[in-house]
Amino acid sequence: MTSGADVAVLGASGFAGALAARLIDRHPFFELEAITSRSDAGRRLDELYPHHRVEMVLDAYDADELGAIDAAIVAYPHGAAAAVVAELHERGVKVVDLSADFRLRDVATYEANYVEHPHPELIAEAVYGLPERYRDAIARASIVACPGCFPTAAVLALWPLSADHVVIDAKTGVSGAGRAATEKTHFVSVDENIKPYGVGKHRHTPEIEQELGTPVTFVPHLLPIDRGILETIYARLEPGVDEATVAAVMQAAYADSPFVRLTGNALPEIKHVAHTNFCDIGWRVNPATRQLVMVSCIDNLVKGAAGQAVQNFNVAFGFDEGMGLN
Amino acid sequence: MTSGADVAVLGASGFAGALAARLIDRHPFFELEAITSRSDAGRRLDELYPHHRVEMVLDAYDADELGAIDAAIVAYPHGAAAAVVAELHERGVKVVDLSADFRLRDVATYEANYVEHPHPELIAEAVYGLPERYRDAIARASIVACPGCFPTAAVLALWPLSADHVVIDAKTGVSGAGRAATEKTHFVSVDENIKPYGVGKHRHTPEIEQELGTPVTFVPHLLPIDRGILETIYARLEPGVDEATVAAVMQAAYADSPFVRLTGNALPEIKHVAHTNFCDIGWRVNPATRQLVMVSCIDNLVKGAAGQAVQNFNVAFGFDEGMGLN
Amino acid sequence: MTSGADVAVLGASGFAGALAARLIDRHPFFELEAITSRSDAGRRLDELYPHHRVEMVLDAYDADELGAIDAAIVAYPHGAAAAVVAELHERGVKVVDLSADFRLRDVATYEANYVEHPHPELIAEAVYGLPERYRDAIARASIVACPGCFPTAAVLALWPLSADHVVIDAKTGVSGAGRAATEKTHFVSVDENIKPYGVGKHRHTPEIEQELGTPVTFVPHLLPIDRGILETIYARLEPGVDEATVAAVMQAAYADSPFVRLTGNALPEIKHVAHTNFCDIGWRVNPATRQLVMVSCIDNLVKGAAGQAVQNFNVAFGFDEGMGLN
Amino acid sequence: MTSGADVAVLGASGFAGALAARLIDRHPFFELEAITSRSDAGRRLDELYPHHRVEMVLDAYDADELGAIDAAIVAYPHGAAAAVVAELHERGVKVVDLSADFRLRDVATYEANYVEHPHPELIAEAVYGLPERYRDAIARASIVACPGCFPTAAVLALWPLSADHVVIDAKTGVSGAGRAATEKTHFVSVDENIKPYGVGKHRHTPEIEQELGTPVTFVPHLLPIDRGILETIYARLEPGVDEATVAAVMQAAYADSPFVRLTGNALPEIKHVAHTNFCDIGWRVNPATRQLVMVSCIDNLVKGAAGQAVQNFNVAFGFDEGMGLN
């Protein structure tokens, strides 16, 4: 175990970056050394987010002025993150990147869904930052590509199992849409409503398919709540797999993972994971049809972003995985 | 066309019954003759539901004191409705029953899901009250079994098509859970939350399967909103069926149905149908996998209950189908 | 009674303008002749507001192209409305203006709270459009200045009474903040929150003071709901005035006003007036201290804007006051 | 400082009791020894409140079976608490009582507002548990009567000042109404609504008046949110008192109180205090009229109940006041 680390959070004025700053600020072994923002440089973070109580000023990003940092969380939009990650990587800074820039191993898939990749040469350096699956690789990685919020819940539910005909019906709170004020995030658009979006083209689909190795149908919906994702997952199991088999496989997969809670038949709900780093997973199996129904819940900003970033750093620096996350 | 009809609403103190009373009260050709309640007899309906503004007193039910009514809407719980329906039927009163008692044609299926059927001999008299599908039979029926709220949205979406591997992921507002104050309907349980319920055993499943003639996986979820249902429906189409075929089939099916609005590629949302009798249906097809994604939205208390009851009466009495519903 | 009138709604892409267009569109005696928008010209109104179902295209405003209209509702921002009102007025068009431009009779007060007044010469032509108080003048007016949403609820509650030490604690839904997507209207800012705003400087204060003839302390708060205003009003009554006196005064004031409902001791709530043109008013008096507590509720977009505009037109054209508003 | 203490929480199945159990369970110096419930004995607390993660079974209350406890939090309803408090007091257990039973120093006032007092002889033993005001007395007390949620926000705002004509317009989340499922707490009653209740007779009025020494007009309203209270307070200051004077008085009063945050002109909102033990207080003064507008916000279950109970214990046992509350 190392004795601590100095961390910068870049892009700390967005929802995920601000929460990452707060978590680092209160972490027993990390020191929050700098926070930056492209839109709000010069303002105090506790002016933007009083409830986070991080009493620091946001700076404009300048790699030379970050100080002697050991690690950084990059909370930039897709496409904009890669350049910063590359610059920090070159200086020997361990990076957790919250964007999609280094999640997809296939550059063509990335470019079909996002933009031209600014640093394809670094993709091979990056590890997909799902500690429950890639703990050892994360411990050795210099770039950790933190999974998307929807893929986190879906992949944790399904990777231990073998299933096809996968349908993922996802419901998310509005904080997942970010801090930008748009018609989509206007209170009047969201309140007393639910709507699907991005059907057939949401960019988390290839990420989930990469991790599961099977095609999926993925439909996200916007809920009138602030925080949390609930995914209802439908799939067909292999012959002979019943509820007990699923339970055994899942328990084996997560025996050493403190943040995955298996609820078995008692299906989870968002309220039980909101504002925590837990992923709750429950399931039902219809033996006649081999139909699996799984429900997987996370807080999109914690386990789906900032909490998972800290969990990755805990693994990377050899701390207890849950340090600063309870 | 007849010249009008006198109507009673039994069970008018619940959400659906109260709205039925309001719709009848304002209908140009129906006269609201009596309203009854088992729990609130003696109270005024506008004391319980000021916004409905129906200035009548709720009576205890007594078939002999209902006056000379032509028709009745029965908004009783499952199991309790059948006896009242039978009594009114014997007196020659046309009945729309909002309960499940006469929806399932197979008495064994009913009894496996509900209770012992009090009047199985009347099942053959009843017509499933989905006017878009059974308009002619409804026009001649003496008992109309109004569909459940979830089946209304699901069956309208799927019956015109041929598909299998059907998954129905339904999201509903809390008014669908009724007026009873329980832990489930407590504000604190629902707010900032979404949860699945009744997985693998919800009683609307056999009703949907009866109408579609195929097994379905049906999972309802409770949303933090008052009114509305959105169902995201996943199914596998037959070879060769693409988006244009679906569009053609749906347009043909609903050419003469004013309350079904086909939105094509532009998927519907609850806000557009709340407080209306519309069912909005949109779809996407992935031609490579023949995967259909449909979204079907209704207001659970209007098209899913009281509005559909009035629509059925309009059909039964030869009025314009939309009379009193716009 | 005249036989009908052709109406244009200018600024129909905002919340209030869109609802005004819908109400005129369905009104039995008005014809919706044109709708305009500065930001969305060329788009269909039912694309922006599907639930309103007004199947018309928004035009850019051009007085020469509005056609032969008899009347117009102007739903422009403060400051921008006056020029349009003046232009239409010159052409002999009856105008209901939803902005503040002609509400304040004192131009200096207007200019201290808003901007330099573009057409002060027309202030004397305008009547304050509260039909319950100025019905006769409205019937003869060519310019009707529709009251602000907060003043509507406050003035209806208090003008019949004589009271001082007036405190108005107002709570409003987010639709009152308009369609603009800002940090203030972002779902995440509003959800699970309530906050005061504009304390000591809200521009509805002088409007209320003008109508009541007494200074008031007015504090609005933003609620996590879409529609509705509830104002809790505290004032000190004159000696000898008790609950019965208040009741008598209020009943006399509103004997002929179908949209004011007096609830006496049973204090109103937003749910009972949402989506209606009613103003519900209830009160309690502490005889020992002469302290009056009144609660006044409206729907901010209906009685607080578009509904009141139509009510004013009904009065102005000699129709029944409630035509098209039930 | 003592070295720790064993604590029981009685009535731990309600919202406030359950949160108290969680706070004690995680407190560095307290040991949660027992939890009891009258309605749910035999159930695990983490079955009722999974997100609190207290893995203990609720017992029926029996003073002889509580074990060797040093202190207890009693979260019983008013009237039922006094007997338990008396029994524990006799055994030398330090008690924080969340009910109203020992808040009012005048037994006649208590009995006029609640029930016949079961143990009036103990009233003199009890200290009003507002640490910011009565820290020294709490340190010596054997019975601490934890303030009501509304009085906490109101008294913290006003006791340092001298003012009359006090009006307190309070808005509260639904968790303040407790866990009981009633028409009042039904989601459909609360959603998209706000309503006043208990006007002129709410039992927190005499409690506030006792602490302020002046009559107040107090009107609470129910908000469609889970957690939090915002009170907008109107009062008339003495001549010569301006905003700067108020600031100086408040800063002096709370210089050593870590949980009161003075926001000055920037009025607080519920979101900034939800799920914390803070009370945020801001103000504006109109010098012309000497009218004070204050806004005071707390989380009703934390600073308004369970958090304040723990804060009181911290004071009573000589720990840092904020221990276990950050």
Side-chain angles (χ1 to χ4, degrees):
Chain A
M1 191 197 289
T2 60
S3 68
D6 291 326
V7 179
V9 175
L10 314 185
S13 56
F15 288 159
L19 182 56
R22 172 204 176 127
L23 291 173
I24 295 295
D25 190 43
R26 303 202 180 169
H27 193 284
F29 294 128
F30 293 123
E31 197 69 37
L32 182 59
E33 198 60 29
I35 54 177
T36 76
S37 167
R38 303 183 303 170
S39 56
D40 292 280
R43 298 181 69 184
R44 286 171 59 105
L45 189 57
D46 58 352
E47 181 194 332
L48 298 179
Y49 299 91
H51 54 293
H52 284 345
R53 289 180 277 142
V54 176
E55 302 173 352
M56 285 178 71
V57 173
L58 292 155
D59 294 320
Y61 170 76
D62 179 338
D64 292 332
E65 310 230 330
L66 285 176
I69 57 169
D70 304 298
I73 294 175
V74 177
Y76 272 34
H78 313 313
V84 175
V85 172
E87 193 170 31
L88 294 170
H89 178 68
E90 208 186 332
R91 290 166 185 242
V93 174
K94 225 180 250 282
V95 180
V96 169
D97 178 18
L98 290 174
S99 87
D101 286 358
F102 297 99
R103 291 179 198 155
L104 295 172
R105 284 191 289 272
D106 180 49
V107 68
T109 304
Y110 177 88
E111 297 190 340
N113 284 278
Y114 296 92
V115 295
E116 191 180 348
H117 202 297
H119 288 278
E121 77 284 0
L122 288 179
I123 293 177
E125 305 286 316
V127 170
Y128 191 73
L130 197 65
E132 287 76 9
R133 188 170 186 189
Y134 299 112
R135 200 170 275 120
D136 294 347
I138 292 165
R140 296 185 305 266
S142 56
I143 300 176
V144 177
C146 221
C149 52
F150 291 123
T152 294
V155 174
L156 286 174
L158 283 179
W159 77 262
L161 297 167
S162 183
D164 60 9
H165 284 77
V166 177
V167 168
I168 300 166
D169 189 284
K171 299 92 176 167
T172 181
V174 183
S175 60
R179 188 180 157 218
T182 64
E183 193 192 336
K184 182 181 175 183
T185 60
H186 194 298
F187 184 86
V188 170
S189 302
V190 178
D191 179 54
E192 295 296 303
N193 202 11
I194 180 171
K195 61 193 292 190
Y197 66 95
V199 176
K201 54 181 189 197
H202 196 285
R203 300 186 294 195
H204 283 175
T205 307
E207 186 182 332
I208 298 170
E209 292 179 335
Q210 165 183 289
E211 292 301 310
L212 297 183
T214 188
V216 304
T217 300
F218 168 64
V219 179
H221 302 74
L222 193 63
L223 288 180
I225 67 173
D226 177 356
R227 303 276 288 268
I229 284 174
L230 182 142
E231 295 181 0
T232 314
I233 299 170
Y234 306 87
R236 197 180 53 184
L237 293 167
E238 295 184 326
V241 177
D242 59 10
E243 242 169 59
T245 324
V246 171
V249 169
M250 297 298 282
Q251 281 155 11
Y254 295 117
D256 299 320
S257 289
F259 289 118
V260 174
R261 297 189 299 197
L262 303 175
T263 65
N265 254 324
L267 301 179
E269 53 192 274
I270 280 183
K271 218 166 188 109
H272 300 165
V273 301
H275 300 273
T276 79
N277 198 51
F278 290 109
C279 178
D280 283 6
I281 305 173
W283 56 86
R284 300 278 174 88
V285 177
N286 181 335
T289 58
R290 293 187 279 136
Q291 179 76 35
L292 170 72
V293 177
M294 292 193 105
V295 177
S296 180
C297 284
I298 60 168
D299 183 302
N300 55 303
L301 291 182
V302 189
K303 183 60 177 167
Q308 188 144 267
V310 171
Q311 187 185 353
N312 276 310
F313 269 162
N314 283 336
V315 171
F317 284 91
F319 301 141
D320 180 273
E321 197 167 321
M323 189 74 71
L325 290 170
N326 282 305
Chain B
M1 191 198 288
T2 59
S3 69
D6 291 326
V7 179
V9 176
L10 315 186
S13 56
F15 289 159
L19 182 56
R22 172 203 176 128
L23 292 172
I24 294 296
D25 189 43
R26 303 201 179 168
H27 193 283
F29 293 129
F30 293 122
E31 197 69 36
L32 183 59
E33 199 60 29
I35 53 177
T36 74
S37 166
R38 303 185 303 170
S39 56
D40 292 278
R43 298 182 69 183
R44 286 171 60 105
L45 190 57
D46 58 353
E47 181 194 333
L48 298 180
Y49 298 91
H51 54 293
H52 284 345
R53 289 180 277 144
V54 176
E55 302 173 352
M56 284 177 70
V57 173
L58 292 156
D59 294 319
Y61 169 75
D62 179 339
D64 292 331
E65 310 230 330
L66 285 177
I69 57 170
D70 303 298
I73 294 174
V74 176
Y76 273 34
H78 312 313
V84 175
V85 171
E87 191 169 34
L88 295 170
H89 179 67
E90 208 186 331
R91 290 165 185 244
V93 174
K94 227 180 248 283
V95 180
V96 169
D97 178 18
L98 289 174
S99 87
D101 286 357
F102 297 99
R103 292 179 197 155
L104 296 172
R105 286 191 287 274
D106 179 49
V107 67
T109 304
Y110 177 88
E111 297 190 340
N113 284 278
Y114 296 93
V115 294
E116 192 180 347
H117 202 297
H119 287 278
E121 78 283 1
L122 289 179
I123 294 177
E125 305 285 317
V127 170
Y128 192 73
L130 197 65
E132 286 77 8
R133 191 171 185 188
Y134 299 113
R135 201 170 273 120
D136 295 347
I138 292 165
R140 296 185 305 267
S142 55
I143 301 175
V144 177
C146 222
C149 53
F150 291 123
T152 294
V155 175
L156 286 174
L158 283 179
W159 77 261
L161 296 168
S162 183
D164 59 10
H165 284 76
V166 176
V167 167
I168 300 166
D169 189 284
K171 298 91 175 168
T172 182
V174 183
S175 60
R179 189 182 157 216
T182 64
E183 193 192 336
K184 183 181 175 183
T185 60
H186 193 298
F187 184 85
V188 170
S189 302
V190 177
D191 178 54
E192 295 296 302
N193 202 12
I194 180 171
K195 59 193 291 189
Y197 64 96
V199 176
K201 54 183 189 196
H202 195 285
R203 301 185 294 195
H204 284 175
T205 308
E207 186 182 334
I208 299 170
E209 293 179 335
Q210 165 183 291
E211 292 301 310
L212 298 184
T214 188
V216 304
T217 300
F218 168 65
V219 179
H221 302 73
L222 193 64
L223 288 179
I225 68 173
D226 177 356
R227 301 277 288 268
I229 285 173
L230 182 142
E231 295 182 359
T232 314
I233 299 170
Y234 306 88
R236 198 181 52 185
L237 292 168
E238 295 184 326
V241 178
D242 60 10
E243 242 168 59
T245 324
V246 172
V249 169
M250 296 299 282
Q251 281 154 11
Y254 295 116
D256 299 321
S257 289
F259 289 117
V260 173
R261 299 189 297 198
L262 303 174
T263 65
N265 254 325
L267 300 180
E269 51 192 275
I270 279 182
K271 216 163 189 112
H272 299 167
V273 300
H275 300 274
T276 79
N277 199 51
F278 290 110
C279 179
D280 283 7
I281 306 173
W283 56 85
R284 299 279 173 88
V285 177
N286 181 335
T289 58
R290 292 188 279 136
Q291 179 78 33
L292 170 72
V293 177
M294 294 193 104
V295 177
S296 180
C297 285
I298 60 168
D299 183 302
N300 55 302
L301 291 182
V302 188
K303 183 61 178 167
Q308 187 144 266
V310 171
Q311 188 183 353
N312 275 310
F313 269 162
N314 283 336
V315 171
F317 284 91
F319 302 141
D320 180 272
E321 197 167 321
M323 188 75 71
L325 290 170
N326 281 306
Chain C
M1 193 198 289
T2 60
S3 69
D6 290 326
V7 179
V9 175
L10 314 185
S13 56
F15 289 158
L19 181 57
R22 171 203 177 129
L23 291 173
I24 295 295
D25 190 43
R26 303 202 180 168
H27 194 283
F29 294 128
F30 293 122
E31 197 68 38
L32 183 59
E33 199 59 30
I35 53 177
T36 75
S37 167
R38 303 183 304 169
S39 56
D40 293 278
R43 299 182 68 184
R44 287 170 58 105
L45 190 56
D46 58 353
E47 181 194 334
L48 297 179
Y49 299 91
H51 54 294
H52 284 344
R53 289 179 276 143
V54 176
E55 301 173 353
M56 285 178 70
V57 174
L58 292 156
D59 295 319
Y61 169 75
D62 179 338
D64 291 331
E65 311 230 330
L66 285 176
I69 57 170
D70 304 297
I73 294 175
V74 177
Y76 272 35
H78 313 313
V84 175
V85 171
E87 193 170 30
L88 295 170
H89 179 67
E90 210 186 330
R91 291 166 184 243
V93 174
K94 227 181 248 283
V95 180
V96 169
D97 178 18
L98 289 174
S99 87
D101 286 358
F102 297 99
R103 291 179 199 155
L104 296 172
R105 286 190 288 273
D106 180 48
V107 69
T109 304
Y110 177 88
E111 297 190 342
N113 283 278
Y114 296 92
V115 295
E116 192 181 346
H117 202 298
H119 287 278
E121 77 284 1
L122 288 179
I123 293 176
E125 305 286 317
V127 169
Y128 192 72
L130 198 64
E132 287 76 8
R133 188 171 186 190
Y134 300 112
R135 200 169 275 118
D136 294 347
I138 292 165
R140 296 185 306 266
S142 57
I143 301 175
V144 177
C146 221
C149 54
F150 291 123
T152 294
V155 175
L156 286 174
L158 283 179
W159 77 262
L161 296 167
S162 183
D164 59 11
H165 284 77
V166 175
V167 167
I168 300 166
D169 189 283
K171 299 93 175 167
T172 181
V174 182
S175 60
R179 188 180 157 217
T182 64
E183 193 193 336
K184 183 182 174 181
T185 60
H186 194 297
F187 184 85
V188 171
S189 301
V190 177
D191 178 55
E192 296 295 304
N193 202 11
I194 180 172
K195 60 193 292 189
Y197 65 95
V199 176
K201 55 183 190 198
H202 196 285
R203 300 184 295 192
H204 283 175
T205 308
E207 186 181 335
I208 298 169
E209 292 179 336
Q210 166 184 289
E211 291 301 309
L212 297 183
T214 189
V216 304
T217 299
F218 168 63
V219 179
H221 302 73
L222 193 63
L223 289 180
I225 68 173
D226 177 356
R227 303 277 288 268
I229 285 174
L230 181 142
E231 295 182 359
T232 313
I233 300 170
Y234 306 87
R236 197 180 53 183
L237 293 168
E238 296 185 324
V241 178
D242 59 10
E243 242 168 60
T245 324
V246 171
V249 169
M250 297 298 283
Q251 281 155 11
Y254 294 117
D256 299 320
S257 288
F259 289 118
V260 174
R261 297 189 298 197
L262 303 174
T263 65
N265 254 326
L267 300 179
E269 51 193 275
I270 279 182
K271 217 164 188 111
H272 300 166
V273 300
H275 300 272
T276 79
N277 199 51
F278 290 109
C279 178
D280 283 6
I281 305 173
W283 56 86
R284 300 279 174 88
V285 177
N286 180 336
T289 58
R290 293 187 279 136
Q291 179 77 34
L292 170 72
V293 177
M294 292 193 105
V295 177
S296 180
C297 285
I298 60 167
D299 183 302
N300 54 303
L301 291 182
V302 189
K303 182 61 177 167
Q308 188 143 266
V310 171
Q311 187 184 354
N312 276 310
F313 269 162
N314 283 336
V315 170
F317 284 91
F319 301 141
D320 180 274
E321 197 167 320
M323 189 75 72
L325 290 171
N326 280 308
Chain D
M1 192 197 289
T2 60
S3 69
D6 292 326
V7 179
V9 175
L10 314 186
S13 56
F15 288 158
L19 182 56
R22 172 203 177 129
L23 292 172
I24 294 294
D25 189 43
R26 303 201 180 169
H27 194 283
F29 294 129
F30 293 122
E31 198 67 38
L32 182 59
E33 199 60 30
I35 53 176
T36 75
S37 167
R38 301 184 304 169
S39 56
D40 293 278
R43 298 181 70 183
R44 286 171 60 104
L45 190 57
D46 58 353
E47 180 193 335
L48 297 180
Y49 299 91
H51 53 293
H52 284 344
R53 289 179 277 143
V54 176
E55 301 173 353
M56 283 178 71
V57 174
L58 292 155
D59 295 318
Y61 169 75
D62 179 338
D64 293 331
E65 311 231 329
L66 286 176
I69 57 169
D70 303 298
I73 294 175
V74 177
Y76 272 34
H78 312 313
V84 175
V85 171
E87 192 169 32
L88 295 170
H89 179 67
E90 209 185 331
R91 291 167 183 242
V93 174
K94 227 180 248 283
V95 180
V96 169
D97 178 18
L98 289 173
S99 86
D101 286 357
F102 297 98
R103 292 179 197 154
L104 296 172
R105 284 190 289 273
D106 179 48
V107 67
T109 304
Y110 177 88
E111 297 190 341
N113 284 278
Y114 296 92
V115 294
E116 192 180 348
H117 202 298
H119 286 278
E121 77 283 0
L122 289 179
I123 294 177
E125 306 286 316
V127 169
Y128 191 72
L130 197 66
E132 286 77 8
R133 189 171 186 190
Y134 299 113
R135 201 170 274 120
D136 294 346
I138 292 165
R140 295 185 306 266
S142 55
I143 300 176
V144 177
C146 222
C149 52
F150 291 123
T152 294
V155 175
L156 286 173
L158 283 179
W159 77 262
L161 296 167
S162 183
D164 58 10
H165 284 77
V166 176
V167 167
I168 300 166
D169 189 283
K171 299 92 175 168
T172 181
V174 182
S175 59
R179 189 181 157 215
T182 64
E183 193 193 335
K184 182 180 175 183
T185 60
H186 193 298
F187 184 85
V188 170
S189 301
V190 177
D191 178 55
E192 295 297 301
N193 202 12
I194 179 172
K195 59 193 293 189
Y197 65 95
V199 177
K201 55 183 190 197
H202 196 285
R203 299 185 295 194
H204 283 175
T205 308
E207 186 181 333
I208 298 170
E209 293 179 335
Q210 165 183 291
E211 291 301 310
L212 298 182
T214 188
V216 304
T217 299
F218 168 64
V219 179
H221 302 74
L222 193 64
L223 288 180
I225 68 173
D226 177 356
R227 303 278 287 268
I229 285 173
L230 181 142
E231 295 182 0
T232 315
I233 299 170
Y234 306 88
R236 197 180 55 184
L237 293 168
E238 295 184 326
V241 178
D242 60 11
E243 241 168 59
T245 324
V246 171
V249 168
M250 298 298 283
Q251 282 155 10
Y254 295 117
D256 299 320
S257 288
F259 289 118
V260 173
R261 298 189 299 198
L262 303 175
T263 65
N265 254 324
L267 299 180
E269 52 193 274
I270 279 183
K271 216 163 189 112
H272 299 166
V273 300
H275 299 273
T276 79
N277 198 52
F278 290 110
C279 178
D280 283 6
I281 305 173
W283 57 85
R284 300 279 174 88
V285 177
N286 182 334
T289 58
R290 293 188 278 136
Q291 179 78 35
L292 169 73
V293 177
M294 294 192 104
V295 177
S296 179
C297 284
I298 60 168
D299 183 302
N300 54 302
L301 291 183
V302 189
K303 183 61 179 166
Q308 187 144 269
V310 171
Q311 188 184 353
N312 275 310
F313 270 161
N314 283 336
V315 170
F317 284 90
F319 301 141
D320 181 272
E321 197 167 321
M323 189 75 72
L325 290 170
N326 281 307

